[in-house]
Amino acid sequence: MSRLDIRIYGDDVLRKKAEPIKQITPELVDLAREMLQAMYDAPGIGLAAPQVGVPIRLIVVDVAKEDETPEPRIYFNPEIAPEEEGENPLIPYEEGCLSVPDVYGDVMRPDRIRLKAQNEKGEWIEERNVCGLLSRCIQHEVDHLEGKLFVDLISAEDKAKNQAALRKLAADQKKK
Ligand code: NI
Protein backbone atom coordinates (compact mmCIF):
# COMPACT_ATOMS: atom_id res chain seq x y z
CA MET A 1 0.00 0.00 0.00
CA SER A 2 1.09 3.50 -0.74
CA ARG A 3 1.71 5.87 2.14
CA LEU A 4 0.37 8.78 0.11
CA ASP A 5 -3.03 10.18 1.02
CA ILE A 6 -5.32 11.22 -1.80
CA ARG A 7 -6.75 14.67 -1.08
CA ILE A 8 -10.49 15.13 -1.44
CA TYR A 9 -12.68 17.87 -2.93
CA GLY A 10 -12.73 20.85 -0.56
CA ASP A 11 -9.00 20.57 0.20
CA ASP A 12 -7.32 23.87 -0.80
CA VAL A 13 -4.31 22.14 -2.37
CA LEU A 14 -6.56 20.94 -5.22
CA ARG A 15 -7.23 24.56 -6.17
CA LYS A 16 -3.61 25.73 -6.25
CA LYS A 17 -1.71 26.31 -9.48
CA ALA A 18 1.13 23.78 -9.38
CA GLU A 19 4.76 24.95 -9.61
CA PRO A 20 7.07 24.00 -12.50
CA ILE A 21 9.74 21.46 -11.56
CA LYS A 22 13.22 22.87 -12.00
CA GLN A 23 15.18 19.67 -11.58
CA ILE A 24 14.06 16.08 -11.76
CA THR A 25 15.72 14.56 -8.74
CA PRO A 26 15.71 10.90 -7.62
CA GLU A 27 13.32 11.98 -4.83
CA LEU A 28 10.82 13.25 -7.40
CA VAL A 29 11.11 10.04 -9.42
CA ASP A 30 10.39 8.12 -6.19
CA LEU A 31 7.37 10.35 -5.58
CA ALA A 32 6.10 9.61 -9.09
CA ARG A 33 6.46 5.85 -8.49
CA GLU A 34 4.60 6.16 -5.18
CA MET A 35 1.87 8.11 -6.93
CA LEU A 36 1.51 5.27 -9.44
CA GLN A 37 1.16 2.84 -6.53
CA ALA A 38 -1.46 5.04 -4.85
CA MET A 39 -3.28 5.25 -8.18
CA TYR A 40 -3.26 1.45 -8.68
CA ASP A 41 -4.39 0.94 -5.06
CA ALA A 42 -7.33 3.32 -5.44
CA PRO A 43 -7.84 2.09 -8.25
CA GLY A 44 -7.64 4.84 -10.84
CA ILE A 45 -6.08 5.58 -14.25
CA GLY A 46 -4.41 8.92 -13.51
CA LEU A 47 -3.14 11.03 -10.65
CA ALA A 48 -1.64 14.51 -10.38
CA ALA A 49 0.82 15.54 -7.65
CA PRO A 50 -1.55 18.13 -6.09
CA GLN A 51 -3.90 15.22 -5.39
CA VAL A 52 -1.35 13.84 -2.93
CA GLY A 53 -0.78 17.28 -1.42
CA VAL A 54 2.28 18.26 -3.49
CA PRO A 55 1.54 21.26 -5.75
CA ILE A 56 4.16 20.59 -8.44
CA ARG A 57 3.80 19.85 -12.16
CA LEU A 58 3.89 16.06 -12.17
CA ILE A 59 1.26 13.60 -13.39
CA VAL A 60 1.13 9.81 -13.69
CA VAL A 61 -1.16 7.82 -15.95
CA ASP A 62 -1.89 4.20 -16.83
CA VAL A 63 -4.88 3.52 -19.05
CA ALA A 64 -4.12 -0.18 -19.73
CA LYS A 65 -7.09 -2.45 -19.01
CA GLU A 66 -6.98 -4.72 -15.96
CA ASP A 67 -6.17 -7.83 -18.03
CA GLU A 68 -3.45 -6.02 -20.02
CA THR A 69 0.20 -5.43 -19.19
CA PRO A 70 0.49 -2.23 -17.11
CA GLU A 71 1.68 0.85 -19.02
CA PRO A 72 2.76 3.31 -16.34
CA ARG A 73 3.55 6.78 -17.67
CA ILE A 74 5.24 9.56 -15.72
CA TYR A 75 5.21 13.12 -17.07
CA PHE A 76 7.10 16.00 -15.47
CA ASN A 77 6.17 19.55 -16.53
CA PRO A 78 3.59 18.37 -19.08
CA GLU A 79 2.36 20.84 -21.68
CA ILE A 80 -0.53 19.99 -23.95
CA ALA A 81 -2.35 21.53 -26.89
CA PRO A 82 -5.15 20.30 -29.11
CA GLU A 83 -3.77 18.62 -32.24
CA GLU A 84 -4.28 21.07 -35.08
CA GLU A 85 -4.18 18.87 -38.15
CA GLY A 86 -7.49 17.51 -39.37
CA GLU A 87 -10.85 17.50 -37.68
CA ASN A 88 -10.57 17.53 -33.92
CA PRO A 89 -13.98 18.34 -32.48
CA LEU A 90 -14.78 18.46 -28.79
CA ILE A 91 -16.42 15.23 -27.71
CA PRO A 92 -18.26 14.34 -24.49
CA TYR A 93 -17.03 11.59 -22.18
CA GLU A 94 -18.04 10.71 -18.66
CA GLU A 95 -15.28 11.51 -16.18
CA GLY A 96 -14.71 10.85 -12.52
CA CYS A 97 -11.82 11.69 -10.18
CA LEU A 98 -10.15 10.02 -7.20
CA SER A 99 -10.39 13.39 -5.41
CA VAL A 100 -14.13 13.65 -6.08
CA PRO A 101 -15.46 10.22 -5.09
CA ASP A 102 -18.81 9.02 -6.42
CA VAL A 103 -19.33 12.02 -8.69
CA TYR A 104 -19.45 11.58 -12.47
CA GLY A 105 -20.33 13.81 -15.38
CA ASP A 106 -19.71 14.36 -19.07
CA VAL A 107 -16.89 16.70 -20.01
CA MET A 108 -16.30 18.09 -23.52
CA ARG A 109 -12.69 17.86 -24.67
CA PRO A 110 -10.82 17.50 -27.97
CA ASP A 111 -10.08 13.85 -28.78
CA ARG A 112 -6.53 14.43 -30.01
CA ILE A 113 -3.74 16.34 -28.33
CA ARG A 114 -0.03 16.82 -28.59
CA LEU A 115 2.03 16.50 -25.46
CA LYS A 116 5.43 17.72 -24.40
CA ALA A 117 6.89 16.66 -21.08
CA GLN A 118 10.07 15.59 -19.35
CA ASN A 119 10.71 11.94 -18.56
CA GLU A 120 12.41 10.48 -15.49
CA LYS A 121 15.83 11.32 -16.93
CA GLY A 122 14.84 14.95 -17.45
CA GLU A 123 14.74 14.57 -21.24
CA TRP A 124 11.99 16.40 -23.13
CA ILE A 125 9.75 14.09 -25.09
CA GLU A 126 7.04 14.98 -27.54
CA GLU A 127 4.04 12.85 -28.43
CA ARG A 128 1.78 13.71 -31.36
CA ASN A 129 -1.80 12.68 -31.99
CA VAL A 130 -2.41 11.25 -28.53
CA CYS A 131 -6.05 10.17 -28.62
CA GLY A 132 -8.79 8.20 -26.89
CA LEU A 133 -8.71 7.43 -23.19
CA LEU A 134 -5.02 8.35 -22.84
CA SER A 135 -5.67 11.83 -24.25
CA ARG A 136 -8.73 12.23 -22.05
CA CYS A 137 -6.85 11.19 -18.95
CA ILE A 138 -3.83 13.43 -19.63
CA GLN A 139 -6.11 16.44 -20.21
CA HIS A 140 -7.92 15.73 -16.92
CA GLU A 141 -4.61 15.42 -15.01
CA VAL A 142 -3.10 18.57 -16.53
CA ASP A 143 -6.23 20.44 -15.41
CA HIS A 144 -5.33 19.41 -11.84
CA LEU A 145 -2.03 21.29 -12.26
CA GLU A 146 -4.04 24.45 -12.93
CA GLY A 147 -6.21 23.92 -9.85
CA LYS A 148 -9.08 22.92 -12.10
CA LEU A 149 -11.38 19.96 -11.45
CA PHE A 150 -13.61 18.11 -13.91
CA VAL A 151 -16.68 19.16 -11.94
CA ASP A 152 -15.92 22.76 -13.05
CA LEU A 153 -16.49 21.60 -16.64
CA ILE A 154 -19.61 19.44 -16.43
CA SER A 155 -23.02 20.57 -17.70
CA ALA A 156 -25.38 22.59 -15.51
CA GLU A 157 -27.63 19.55 -15.43
CA ASP A 158 -24.88 17.23 -14.16
CA LYS A 159 -23.81 19.92 -11.70
CA ALA A 160 -27.32 20.11 -10.27
CA LYS A 161 -27.46 16.33 -10.05
CA ASN A 162 -24.20 16.20 -8.08
CA GLN A 163 -24.58 19.35 -6.01
CA ALA A 164 -25.57 17.61 -2.77
CA ALA A 165 -22.70 15.12 -3.05
CA LEU A 166 -20.20 17.94 -3.69
CA ARG A 167 -21.47 19.97 -0.75
CA LYS A 168 -21.12 16.95 1.50
CA LEU A 169 -17.54 16.27 0.36
CA ALA A 170 -16.58 19.91 0.98
CA ALA A 171 -18.30 19.97 4.38
CA ASP A 172 -16.48 16.77 5.43
CA GLN A 173 -13.15 18.43 4.51
CA LYS A 174 -13.91 21.42 6.75
CA LYS A 175 -14.38 19.11 9.73
CA LYS A 176 -10.84 17.72 9.33
NI1 NI B 1 -8.81 13.86 -11.12
PDB file of all heavy atoms in Angstrom, residues 46 51 96-99 140-141 144 149-150, ligand 1:
ATOM      1  N   GLY A  46      -5.282   7.754 -13.458  1.00  0.00           N
ATOM      2  CA  GLY A  46      -4.409   8.922 -13.511  1.00  0.00           C
ATOM      3  C   GLY A  46      -4.371   9.603 -12.158  1.00  0.00           C
ATOM      4  O   GLY A  46      -5.302   9.467 -11.360  1.00  0.00           O
ATOM      5  N   GLN A  51      -2.950  16.131  -6.020  1.00  0.00           N
ATOM      6  CA  GLN A  51      -3.905  15.215  -5.389  1.00  0.00           C
ATOM      7  C   GLN A  51      -3.303  14.442  -4.216  1.00  0.00           C
ATOM      8  O   GLN A  51      -4.038  13.824  -3.448  1.00  0.00           O
ATOM      9  CB  GLN A  51      -4.449  14.214  -6.411  1.00  0.00           C
ATOM     10  CG  GLN A  51      -5.359  14.828  -7.452  1.00  0.00           C
ATOM     11  CD  GLN A  51      -5.869  13.778  -8.415  1.00  0.00           C
ATOM     12  OE1 GLN A  51      -5.208  13.465  -9.386  1.00  0.00           O
ATOM     13  NE2 GLN A  51      -7.027  13.214  -8.128  1.00  0.00           N
ATOM     14  N   GLY A  96     -14.638  10.900 -13.972  1.00  0.00           N
ATOM     15  CA  GLY A  96     -14.707  10.854 -12.523  1.00  0.00           C
ATOM     16  C   GLY A  96     -13.329  11.236 -12.025  1.00  0.00           C
ATOM     17  O   GLY A  96     -12.442  11.521 -12.830  1.00  0.00           O
ATOM     18  N   CYS A  97     -13.109  11.243 -10.717  1.00  0.00           N
ATOM     19  CA  CYS A  97     -11.816  11.686 -10.183  1.00  0.00           C
ATOM     20  C   CYS A  97     -11.635  11.086  -8.792  1.00  0.00           C
ATOM     21  O   CYS A  97     -12.565  11.079  -7.989  1.00  0.00           O
ATOM     22  CB  CYS A  97     -11.809  13.209 -10.100  1.00  0.00           C
ATOM     23  SG  CYS A  97     -10.283  13.888  -9.440  1.00  0.00           S
ATOM     24  N   LEU A  98     -10.412  10.612  -8.517  1.00  0.00           N
ATOM     25  CA  LEU A  98     -10.154  10.018  -7.202  1.00  0.00           C
ATOM     26  C   LEU A  98     -10.324  11.048  -6.089  1.00  0.00           C
ATOM     27  O   LEU A  98     -10.581  10.684  -4.945  1.00  0.00           O
ATOM     28  CB  LEU A  98      -8.740   9.429  -7.152  1.00  0.00           C
ATOM     29  CG  LEU A  98      -8.497   8.212  -8.068  1.00  0.00           C
ATOM     30  CD1 LEU A  98      -7.040   7.778  -7.999  1.00  0.00           C
ATOM     31  CD2 LEU A  98      -9.420   7.063  -7.692  1.00  0.00           C
ATOM     32  N   SER A  99     -10.214  12.339  -6.419  1.00  0.00           N
ATOM     33  CA  SER A  99     -10.395  13.390  -5.415  1.00  0.00           C
ATOM     34  C   SER A  99     -11.848  13.822  -5.269  1.00  0.00           C
ATOM     35  O   SER A  99     -12.155  14.647  -4.403  1.00  0.00           O
ATOM     36  CB  SER A  99      -9.542  14.612  -5.767  1.00  0.00           C
ATOM     37  OG  SER A  99      -8.170  14.300  -5.655  1.00  0.00           O
ATOM     38  N   HIS A 140      -7.337  15.642 -18.269  1.00  0.00           N
ATOM     39  CA  HIS A 140      -7.918  15.735 -16.921  1.00  0.00           C
ATOM     40  C   HIS A 140      -6.814  16.005 -15.880  1.00  0.00           C
ATOM     41  O   HIS A 140      -6.967  16.863 -15.004  1.00  0.00           O
ATOM     42  CB  HIS A 140      -8.667  14.427 -16.628  1.00  0.00           C
ATOM     43  CG  HIS A 140      -9.207  14.293 -15.245  1.00  0.00           C
ATOM     44  ND1 HIS A 140     -10.553  14.198 -14.968  1.00  0.00           N
ATOM     45  CD2 HIS A 140      -8.589  14.226 -14.037  1.00  0.00           C
ATOM     46  CE1 HIS A 140     -10.735  14.082 -13.663  1.00  0.00           C
ATOM     47  NE2 HIS A 140      -9.555  14.095 -13.072  1.00  0.00           N
ATOM     48  N   GLU A 141      -5.692  15.273 -16.005  1.00  0.00           N
ATOM     49  CA  GLU A 141      -4.611  15.422 -15.010  1.00  0.00           C
ATOM     50  C   GLU A 141      -3.927  16.785 -15.138  1.00  0.00           C
ATOM     51  O   GLU A 141      -3.570  17.392 -14.126  1.00  0.00           O
ATOM     52  CB  GLU A 141      -3.583  14.301 -15.142  1.00  0.00           C
ATOM     53  CG  GLU A 141      -4.114  12.888 -14.951  1.00  0.00           C
ATOM     54  CD  GLU A 141      -5.005  12.721 -13.739  1.00  0.00           C
ATOM     55  OE1 GLU A 141      -4.788  13.406 -12.720  1.00  0.00           O
ATOM     56  OE2 GLU A 141      -5.954  11.913 -13.812  1.00  0.00           O
ATOM     57  N   HIS A 144      -5.646  19.397 -13.284  1.00  0.00           N
ATOM     58  CA  HIS A 144      -5.333  19.414 -11.840  1.00  0.00           C
ATOM     59  C   HIS A 144      -4.170  20.358 -11.543  1.00  0.00           C
ATOM     60  O   HIS A 144      -4.135  20.995 -10.491  1.00  0.00           O
ATOM     61  CB  HIS A 144      -4.955  18.010 -11.354  1.00  0.00           C
ATOM     62  CG  HIS A 144      -6.130  17.141 -10.988  1.00  0.00           C
ATOM     63  ND1 HIS A 144      -6.993  17.450  -9.964  1.00  0.00           N
ATOM     64  CD2 HIS A 144      -6.568  15.970 -11.502  1.00  0.00           C
ATOM     65  CE1 HIS A 144      -7.922  16.489  -9.864  1.00  0.00           C
ATOM     66  NE2 HIS A 144      -7.689  15.592 -10.796  1.00  0.00           N
ATOM     67  N   LEU A 149     -10.829  21.306 -11.638  1.00  0.00           N
ATOM     68  CA  LEU A 149     -11.381  19.956 -11.451  1.00  0.00           C
ATOM     69  C   LEU A 149     -12.444  19.691 -12.510  1.00  0.00           C
ATOM     70  O   LEU A 149     -13.084  20.631 -12.998  1.00  0.00           O
ATOM     71  CB  LEU A 149     -12.001  19.832 -10.059  1.00  0.00           C
ATOM     72  CG  LEU A 149     -11.035  20.021  -8.885  1.00  0.00           C
ATOM     73  CD1 LEU A 149     -11.802  20.060  -7.565  1.00  0.00           C
ATOM     74  CD2 LEU A 149      -9.985  18.912  -8.848  1.00  0.00           C
ATOM     75  N   PHE A 150     -12.662  18.415 -12.819  1.00  0.00           N
ATOM     76  CA  PHE A 150     -13.607  18.105 -13.911  1.00  0.00           C
ATOM     77  C   PHE A 150     -15.012  18.601 -13.587  1.00  0.00           C
ATOM     78  O   PHE A 150     -15.772  18.928 -14.495  1.00  0.00           O
ATOM     79  CB  PHE A 150     -13.606  16.603 -14.233  1.00  0.00           C
ATOM     80  CG  PHE A 150     -14.493  15.765 -13.365  1.00  0.00           C
ATOM     81  CD1 PHE A 150     -15.769  15.425 -13.789  1.00  0.00           C
ATOM     82  CD2 PHE A 150     -14.082  15.345 -12.117  1.00  0.00           C
ATOM     83  CE1 PHE A 150     -16.612  14.655 -12.993  1.00  0.00           C
ATOM     84  CE2 PHE A 150     -14.907  14.584 -11.319  1.00  0.00           C
ATOM     85  CZ  PHE A 150     -16.173  14.242 -11.748  1.00  0.00           C
TER      86      PHE A 150
HETATM   87 NI    NI B   1      -8.806  13.859 -11.124  1.00  0.00          NI
END
